[in-house]
Amino acid sequence: MKPETVEFLTAGLRPLSCRSCGTCVLVKKNSMQHTSIQWTSDASRSCPVFAEQKASGAQTALLDTCGNLTESIEIALKDGLLEVPE
C-alpha cells in the first residue's frame, strides 16, 4: 500500500474503549454524521453484542457497530476526547 493511502486511512484515528465491554477500537469522526471505526480485534470475540449476533447465526459483517459503542463514541465527543473537523 502506498504511504499516502496508509496516511489517508489511518490519520486521525484514536483508540477508544467501549464503556460497556472494554473492547478497544480506533475511531475518527469525519463529520457529525460520519464516523470511521476500525476494529483492532475480532468483534465477534471481543464485543458481547457481536458475539450474541454470531451465536444466533447472523452475519456480523453486516453490522456497523453496536449501540454500546455508539454511546461510548457520543460520550467521548461530549467529553472532548474526540473532535469533529470543521
Side-chain angles (χ1 to χ4, degrees):
M1 203 178 302
K2 294 180 182 180
E4 59 270 14
T5 302
V6 172
E7 174 68 16
F8 175 76
L9 294 173
T10 61
L13 288 170
R14 298 197 180 261
L16 180 76
S17 294
C18 176
R19 294 170 58 95
S20 178
C21 70
T23 297
C24 186
V25 297
L26 299 175
V27 179
K28 176 183 175 183
K29 286 298 290 180
N30 299 300
S31 69
M32 285 306 292
Q33 297 80 20
H34 183 215
T35 305
S36 295
I37 300 171
Q38 184 174 352
W39 290 81
T40 59
S41 60
D42 179 351
S44 65
R45 289 193 175 146
S46 60
C47 172
V49 173
F50 275 74
E52 182 180 320
Q53 291 293 318
K54 184 176 180 179
S56 72
Q59 294 293 321
T60 58
L62 301 177
L63 297 174
D64 289 331
T65 189
C66 77
N68 296 329
L69 183 57
T70 299
E71 184 178 323
S72 295
I73 293 168
E74 290 172 4
I75 291 169
L77 274 170
K78 289 177 188 171
D79 290 347
L81 300 173
L82 292 175
E83 296 177 1
V84 179
E86 294 185 26

